[in-house]
Amino acid sequence: MDFLPIIPLNEHDVENFDTATIPSELTLLPLRNTVLFPGVVLPITVGRDKSIKAVNDAYKGDKLIGVIAQKDSNIEDPAVEDLERIGTVARIVKQIKMPDGGITIIIQGKTRFEVDAVTTEEPYFKATIKILEEEEASTEPDFVAYVSNIKDLATEIIQLSPNIPSEASVILKNIESPSFLIHFVSSNLNSDVKEKQRLLSINSIAERADILMQLLQKELQFAELKNKVTNKTKAELDKQQREYFLQQQLKSIKEELGGDANEREVKEMQKKAETKKWPAAAKEMFKKGAEKLERMHPSTPDYSIVYNHLDLMLDLPWDDYTEDKYDLKKAKAILDADHYGMHKIKERILEYLAVLKLKGDMKSPILCFYGPPGIGKTSLGKSIANAIGRKYVRLSLGGIHDESEVRGHRKTYIGAMPGRIVQSIRKVRSSNPVMILDEIDKVGSDLRGDPSSALLEVLDPEQNNSFYDNYLELEYDLSKVLFIATANNLQTIQPALRDRLEIIELSGYAIEEKIEIAKRHLIPKQREAHGLKDAKFKISDKILEKIIEEYTRESGVRELDRQLASVMRNQAMQLAMKGTVKANLTPADIERILGRARYSNELYKTANMAGVAVGLAYTYVGGDILFIETTLSDGKADLRLTGNLGNVMKESASTALSYLQANARRFGLEPSIFEKKTAHVHVPEGAVPKDGPSAGVTMLTALTSAYTGRKVRPYLGMTGEITLRGQVLPVGGIKEKVLAAKRAGLKELILCWQNEKDVQEINPDYIKGVKFHFVKTMNQVLELALQD
C-alpha cells in the first residue's frame, strides 16, 4: 500500500474528538509501508481482499477503523503475531473505487490504541482495544524549545529536499498544537517503519519530541550530504549539457552555412589522396591518419599534429618527376651562355645526360664543386637545372649544427618539423630536382648531433632510395635527386662524407676570363641594376684590365662586381645631374671614381735586394704571392722565424738552413759563418696565418741570398717543397698560384718538374708572357734564382 502524506484538514479535530464513540471491538487494517499518526491525513491504496472487505464494512458502518503497522512489510498475508500492538484509530474520510478493482481511501488518524486481543481473523481482523490517552503538552521552556527546534529542523529539511514542495514549510510554521506538530513531522519523516512505530509507541510526548529531534538531526545531515553530492553532480552535468548544447547549436549553424569547415577539409584531403601517385605504405598511413582525424575533435591538441602530418604527405611529390631534356647541344649552349669557362664541369654534366639519354635511368651522381669563393659554384647549379629541364632548390648548410635539421624532429614534439631535405622536396613539388647543398664544408656539430653524419645517408647512392625522415615516419626515395655540394675547403669535410662526393675542382679565373665574364654578365647586370640600360657609354678591355689588376686581388669576380657597381653609380649620378655621360671611360675617370690604385706591380722592382724572395701561396680565396725576407746579424748560431707561421712552414725553414749548412762550400760559403751569424726569416703580412710545405724552395733561396749576398732575379716567383737531399717535390693549387703570379706581374716561375702537367691544363692564352722553369733539385733552383 503506497502512501503520500497530505496536509491535515483540521489540527484541532483530534483534540475535539470524543473517544467515547469508539467501540471496544474495532476492525483492524494492517499497513505495510507506513505508520499512521493521530491527526494526520493519509491516502492509502488498498489491494488485499481481506483489507478491501474490512474497509467496505467499516465505511458502511461508523467509518472508524483501527490502522496498525506490520512488523515485516514483505509478508503478503500477515497473521496476528505479524502485527504491531499499538496503532491508530482512523476515520475513513473518503472512499474511491479504482478501475483495477482496488480501493483508495483517505483516512485521518484520531487517537492511539493498544490491541488487547484479536477476536476475529476471518474474513478480516477484529480486536478488542484500549484507547491510549495523550498527555497534555507541557508549557515548560525546555519543551517549548524542543518544539521550536523541531519546526526549524523540519523547515531546513524541506528546503534541502527538492521533492517536498516549498509550501510545506509555510504550513509547518502555522501548526499551533505541539502534539500535532510532532505527529505530522513524524509521519513525514524519511525513516523506516520501525523508527516511526517506536515514536508512536512512546506515551510521553516530551520523550517522543526528544527522539524525533534526534531522527531529524540525522535526516538533516543526510539531506545536506545528498544535496552537496547532487549539486556537484548537477554542476558537472550542467557544464557537459551546456557544452553539448552549444556544440549542437554550432553544428547546426555550420550546417546552415554549408557544413563543418574541419569536416570539409578532411573530405577534401581524402579526395586529393584518391588521385595521388604514391607508394602503398604511404597510402595506408594516410588512410589511417584520416580515419583518426575524423574521430578527433578539432580542439584536441593532437588534431593539429595529425592534420599537419597528413598535409605534408599530400604536399610531397612522391612519384612525380619532371621530364629531363636530352638535347645535349642545347644543354651545352645553356651552360656556355650562363658561365664562361669551367669546361671540366660542363663535360661531366653532359656525360651524365648522355647516359640518361641512352639508358633511360641512372642513379644521380653526387657532385661536389670545390674552389675559392666568388667563382660561380652555386649559380652553376641553377644553370645545370635549366640545361637539363629540372627544378632547382638550394639548401644552405652553413652553420647548421643540429641533426634534426636534416632528418626532422619526431612529430610528437611541440613545433616539430620535417627535415630540410623533405621541406625542399615539398617546396619544389618534384622528386628529381637539382638540389644544391651549399657550403657543405661549414656544417657544424654539437651535443644535439652531427648533421654531416646525417648527410651520409642522403649522399650515398646505395642508401638514399630509402631516406627516413623522423617527422614523415616513412621512407622517401631521393635516388633521382641530382645533389650538387659546394665547398671552399675540403679539409673540414668529414672523411666519410668526402668519400661519397665526386669532387670537381674549380680554379680561379685568369685576367682574360675575368674580362670576358665582366663583358658578358657583370656589366649588363650592373647597367640594369642602376638604370643605365639605355645609356650610351662603353668600358673597354683596357679599362677592365686596369680595374682587375689595380683594384682587385681575388680568384673570383665578387670584388670586381663591386668595383663595377661603384663605376655604374657614378655614371648614374652624372646622367641624373647633367643628362649625359661620357661615351668612353678613361684610366683617369677610373682613378677619379675608384681612387688611387690599391695594388701595384712596381712592388717587385723596389723589393729587389739580397735575402728577399717571392713565393707563391694558395689560400681558400685563391692564389696569392708572398715575400720571404731574410736578414743576418752578428751573434750565435740561431734561426728566428716570424710572420705567424705554422709548424710545417717552420720545419721548411729549418730544413732549408740545414741543407745550406751541409752544402756551404758548394755555394762559396765558409761553414764557420753559420756559427757567427743569427738568421731571421720573416713572412709578411704578420697578421695572416700561413702554413704548408710549398714555401720550402723560397725559404732556401732567401737564406742562400742573404748568406751569399747575391740578389734574387727580379719578377721571379717560385713554389715547391724541399728535402734534406736537395730534391724539389710537387705541390698543389698550381693553377691558382700561376694565375696569381700573372696577376701580380711576375714574368718567370720556378716549379717542380712534376707540376708541369698542371701548367699544361691552363689555357696558354691566360699565361702568355710567363716563362716556366721546371726543376728537380735545389741546385737548379739557386742557379736560376740568384744573380751573379
Side-chain angles (χ1 to χ4, degrees):
M1 287 171 287
D2 298 326
F3 75 96
L4 177 68
I6 60 171
I7 302 163
L9 299 175
N10 189 345
E11 62 181 277
H12 297 292
D13 282 356
V14 179
E15 294 170 12
N16 301 331
F17 182 69
D18 185 7
T19 54
T21 60
I22 301 170
S24 57
E25 188 181 47
L26 197 64
T27 303
L28 299 182
L29 175 63
L31 292 186
R32 272 200 284 193
N33 300 322
T34 191
V35 174
L36 179 68
F37 285 85
V40 176
V41 177
L42 273 184
I44 293 171
T45 301
V46 184
R48 291 186 285 208
D49 293 340
K50 264 188 178 183
S51 300
I52 292 169
K53 190 165 179 59
V55 167
N56 284 333
D57 288 355
Y59 191 69
K60 287 172 186 172
D62 55 9
K63 293 187 170 58
L64 292 177
I65 194 165
V67 177
I68 197 160
Q70 286 182 205
K71 290 178 182 176
D72 186 355
S73 60
N74 294 321
I75 297 171
E76 183 65 34
D77 189 13
V80 175
E81 60 271 14
D82 296 323
L83 303 178
E84 295 287 353
R85 300 300 299 167
I86 293 173
T88 305
V89 176
R91 180 182 290 281
I92 302 171
V93 178
K94 184 78 175 169
Q95 180 178 346
I96 304 162
K97 289 186 178 178
M98 305 304 287
D100 60 353
I103 294 173
T104 295
I105 56 171
I106 296 170
I107 56 175
Q108 183 181 19
K110 293 296 180 182
T111 185
R112 293 183 309 132
F113 72 86
E114 184 179 357
V115 175
D116 274 343
V118 175
T119 56
T120 307
E121 291 187 30
E122 292 297 336
Y124 43 78
F125 292 111
K126 272 190 172 186
T128 54
I129 61 167
K130 183 175 81 173
I131 300 298
L132 300 173
E133 294 295 332
E134 289 291 331
E135 279 186 10
E136 283 293 322
S138 173
T139 56
E140 290 292 319
D142 285 359
F143 183 74
V144 172
Y146 266 108
V147 172
S148 178
N149 208 4
I150 287 168
K151 267 190 184 182
D152 293 342
L153 287 171
T155 305
E156 280 187 58
I157 292 168
I158 288 167
Q159 287 172 352
L160 289 171
S161 302
N163 298 328
I164 301 175
S166 58
E167 291 82 357
S169 61
V170 178
I171 295 161
L172 200 66
K173 284 177 185 174
N174 289 313
I175 296 174
E176 295 172 4
S177 168
S179 60
F180 177 70
L181 175 72
I182 292 165
H183 293 154
F184 180 71
V185 172
S186 299
S187 183
N188 286 283
L189 199 64
N190 192 20
S191 297
D192 58 15
V193 174
K194 285 182 181 176
E195 290 287 353
K196 290 183 178 181
Q197 183 63 38
R198 182 181 159 210
L199 281 169
L200 186 67
S201 304
I202 295 167
N203 291 322
S204 168
I205 195 165
E207 191 182 338
R208 204 182 304 162
D210 183 40
I211 292 169
L212 175 61
M213 202 163 72
Q214 290 175 26
L215 292 171
L216 281 172
Q217 287 281 7
K218 280 170 66 179
E219 181 73 17
L220 179 62
Q221 286 176 6
F222 180 74
E224 283 174 344
L225 186 63
K226 187 178 176 184
N227 196 48
K228 185 180 174 184
V229 172
T230 305
N231 286 343
K232 188 178 177 184
T233 312
K234 188 180 177 185
E236 288 175 4
L237 283 171
D238 284 352
K239 188 183 174 187
Q240 289 175 1
Q241 285 170 347
R242 182 172 172 274
E243 284 180 1
Y244 176 74
F245 179 67
L246 289 172
Q247 288 291 349
Q248 290 300 109
Q249 277 191 322
L250 189 63
K251 193 176 178 182
S252 302
I253 292 165
K254 284 176 178 175
E255 283 173 0
E256 287 295 320
L257 293 171
D260 185 357
N262 293 302
E263 283 181 18
R264 283 205 309 273
E265 280 180 349
V266 175
K267 296 293 180 206
E268 281 172 19
M269 288 173 104
Q270 288 172 330
K271 198 174 179 182
K272 270 191 201 173
E274 289 171 10
T275 58
K276 190 88 178 160
K277 289 192 293 182
W278 50 9
K283 192 174 184 179
E284 183 62 29
M285 182 177 267
F286 180 87
K287 187 182 172 187
K288 285 181 180 176
E291 287 171 359
K292 190 177 179 183
L293 201 64
E294 283 179 323
R295 293 194 300 270
M296 291 168 78
H297 193 274
S299 61
T300 55
D302 281 355
Y303 186 88
S304 60
I305 293 171
V306 177
Y307 181 87
N308 290 337
H309 185 248
L310 296 181
D311 192 42
L312 170 69
M313 290 181 71
L314 280 176
D315 280 353
L316 285 172
W318 297 100
D319 292 335
D320 290 337
Y321 302 99
T322 52
E323 197 173 331
D324 290 335
K325 295 174 187 170
Y326 298 127
D327 190 340
L328 269 64
K329 289 180 181 175
K330 190 177 177 184
K332 188 176 187 301
I334 290 171
L335 291 170
D336 287 339
D338 289 348
H339 288 80
Y340 186 78
M342 300 187 178
H343 303 296
K344 195 187 288 185
I345 290 180
K346 292 175 182 175
E347 195 177 325
R348 180 68 185 87
I349 297 301
L350 292 172
E351 286 171 0
Y352 169 63
L353 273 179
V355 174
L356 274 179
K357 183 177 181 180
L358 296 173
K359 189 171 177 285
D361 183 32
M362 179 191 179
K363 282 181 179 173
S364 296
I366 316 290
L367 305 177
C368 177
F369 297 162
Y370 157 62
I375 59 171
K377 299 185 295 296
T378 305
S379 60
L380 185 61
K382 196 166 190 176
S383 181
I384 290 167
N386 290 336
I388 63 177
R390 289 193 183 184
K391 291 186 176 180
Y392 164 84
V393 63
R394 178 178 159 274
L395 185 60
S396 181
L397 298 176
I400 70 163
H401 46 72
D402 189 351
E403 179 239 1
S404 299
E405 291 278 343
V406 178
R407 278 216 186 98
H409 307 77
R410 304 268 176 214
K411 69 172 185 280
T412 49
Y413 293 128
I414 293 170
M417 293 171 70
R420 301 274 286 276
I421 302 286
V422 170
Q423 282 184 51
S424 300
I425 296 284
R426 180 188 197 176
K427 182 177 161 188
V428 292
R429 295 182 177 276
S430 168
S431 286
N432 64 337
V434 172
M435 188 176 287
I436 302 293
L437 303 175
D438 215 4
E439 312 291 359
I440 200 169
D441 57 327
K442 296 173 185 66
V443 173
S445 65
D446 65 2
L447 51 90
R448 283 170 287 187
D450 183 3
S452 59
S453 299
L455 284 168
L456 295 176
E457 183 187 3
V458 177
L459 299 179
D460 191 338
E462 299 301 321
Q463 296 178 37
N464 65 8
N465 61 340
S466 57
F467 170 69
Y468 186 85
D469 185 272
N470 292 330
Y471 183 88
L472 184 60
E473 294 182 344
L474 279 171
E475 291 180 347
Y476 197 89
D477 186 4
L478 298 176
S479 62
K480 302 290 191 299
V481 178
L482 177 55
F483 288 104
I484 298 175
T486 70
N488 300 130
N489 185 5
L490 292 178
Q491 306 308 314
T492 56
I493 302 176
Q494 190 183 341
L497 186 58
R498 193 164 67 236
D499 183 56
R500 284 164 167 75
L501 303 172
E502 185 180 331
I503 310 252
I504 299 176
E505 192 173 341
L506 293 174
S507 49
Y509 295 118
I511 292 173
E512 291 81 1
E513 287 179 303
K514 288 184 179 180
I515 291 170
E516 284 298 322
I517 289 166
K519 284 159 65 178
R520 294 185 187 193
H521 303 287
L522 303 183
I523 292 174
K525 181 183 85 173
Q526 292 297 347
R527 283 179 80 127
E528 189 171 343
H530 292 86
L532 298 170
K533 204 170 181 182
D534 301 323
K536 307 292 183 188
F537 70 92
K538 288 183 181 176
I539 302 176
S540 66
D541 289 4
K542 285 286 180 190
I543 296 298
L544 285 172
E545 191 174 338
K546 179 180 175 66
I547 295 171
I548 292 163
E549 286 189 337
E550 296 183 8
Y551 295 93
T552 67
R553 275 283 190 275
E554 60 175 348
S555 292
V557 290
R558 283 207 180 112
E559 186 60 31
L560 174 59
D561 195 30
R562 283 190 281 270
Q563 299 301 332
L564 288 172
S566 297
V567 172
M568 294 301 168
R569 283 196 299 273
N570 187 271
Q571 291 292 87
M573 186 176 72
Q574 297 295 330
L575 184 63
M577 291 173 72
K578 299 177 181 176
T580 182
V581 289
K582 283 181 74 173
N584 290 294
L585 290 172
T586 63
D589 293 326
I590 296 301
E591 286 190 16
R592 177 177 55 80
I593 296 166
L594 300 178
R596 298 189 63 172
R598 296 180 193 175
Y599 307 101
S600 173
N601 295 338
E602 296 300 310
L603 182 68
Y604 310 108
K605 292 178 185 175
T606 58
N608 190 17
M609 57 181 283
V612 179
V614 179
L616 304 178
Y618 178 70
T619 66
Y620 80 96
V621 294
D624 202 358
I625 61 113
L626 53 82
F627 290 102
I628 293 180
E629 303 172 350
T630 307
T631 186
L632 302 176
S633 58
D634 292 333
K636 61 178 182 177
D638 192 15
L639 175 64
R640 291 181 195 158
L641 301 169
T642 56
N644 204 351
L645 308 184
N647 289 332
V648 178
M649 207 162 180
K650 287 176 181 176
E651 288 167 4
S652 293
S654 299
T655 305
L657 185 59
S658 297
Y659 177 78
L660 186 58
Q661 287 173 336
N663 298 278
R665 293 190 188 282
R666 188 186 297 178
F667 302 116
L669 296 171
E670 285 296 323
S672 58
I673 194 172
F674 296 104
E675 299 296 326
K676 302 170 188 174
K677 298 287 184 183
T678 298
H680 184 166
V681 178
H682 178 67
V683 186
E685 301 165 359
V688 180
K690 307 163 197 75
D691 204 1
S694 63
V697 292
T698 321
M699 292 271 193
L700 181 56
T701 303
L703 284 166
T704 307
S705 172
Y707 277 104
T708 60
R710 295 164 65 188
K711 292 181 182 179
V712 179
R713 286 164 63 183
Y715 298 100
L716 174 73
M718 59 193 77
T719 185
E721 185 180 349
I722 60 166
T723 68
L724 280 174
R725 294 174 296 146
Q727 299 291 312
V728 179
L729 302 180
V731 290
I734 292 299
K735 184 179 179 185
E736 279 72 19
K737 290 176 180 179
V738 169
L739 293 176
K742 180 77 166 66
R743 282 197 301 272
L746 298 180
K747 293 174 181 173
E748 290 183 80
L749 295 178
I750 298 174
L751 304 171
C752 174
W753 64 277
Q754 287 175 279
N755 286 127
E756 189 174 357
K757 65 181 187 305
D758 300 311
V759 176
Q760 288 172 354
E761 288 183 6
I762 305 170
N763 190 327
D765 294 337
Y766 303 157
I767 50 176
K768 200 180 285 181
V770 179
K771 187 177 181 183
F772 292 91
H773 301 282
F774 298 105
V775 297
K776 291 185 178 181
T777 65
M778 272 311 303
N779 288 340
Q780 291 173 282
V781 173
L782 296 174
E783 283 172 16
L784 289 165
L786 300 178
Q787 295 179 354
D788 295 331

